[in-house]
Amino acid sequence: MKLKLWDDVKLEWIEYDYDTARNEFERRAIKIADGAKIGDGVKIGNRASVGNGASVGNGASVGYGASVGDEASVGDEASVGNRASVGNGASVGYGASVGYGASVGYG
């Protein structure tokens, strides 16, 4: 499985094998729970987090500082913008976008 992480120096997405990418998580302040399911070709920005039992579909993106809560679902090709939040148990469907700083599934 491949994963893309943002490189602040090169200013581009860099592709990693998932196991290699995990070595970069601490340096980039990325938090992905052990129980999370990450699809192929997912882009994850620095300081992003994905909760326990959450799933991020193939080709989806989770922006800088964005949060995907426990048991939440982000569909294939969907986008969670920078500093946006997907609440615990909430779903973002195939190809949908959550804009900068928006919250889904809270309240």
Side-chain angles (χ1 to χ4, degrees):
M1 175 178 28
K2 300 289 185 182
L3 181 69
K4 294 180 182 179
L5 302 178
W6 183 252
D7 188 303
D8 287 333
V9 175
K10 295 180 180 177
L11 300 178
E12 64 184 6
W13 292 101
I14 305 294
E15 187 172 83
Y16 295 88
D17 289 324
Y18 185 76
D19 292 332
T20 304
R22 290 192 68 84
N23 295 330
E24 292 285 317
F25 291 169
E26 185 175 339
R27 186 174 73 82
R28 297 168 186 264
I30 296 170
K31 296 178 183 172
I32 297 182
D34 289 336
K37 298 175 189 121
I38 307 296
D40 196 38
V42 170
K43 295 177 180 177
I44 299 186
N46 295 341
R47 301 189 180 279
S49 65
V50 179
N52 192 37
S55 64
V56 180
N58 296 328
S61 64
V62 179
Y64 175 93
S67 173
V68 177
D70 293 344
E71 304 295 328
S73 173
V74 176
D76 292 350
E77 305 296 326
S79 174
V80 179
N82 293 347
R83 296 192 171 117
S85 298
V86 178
N88 294 343
S91 293
V92 176
Y94 173 89
S97 293
V98 178
Y100 177 93
S103 295
V104 174
Y106 288 94

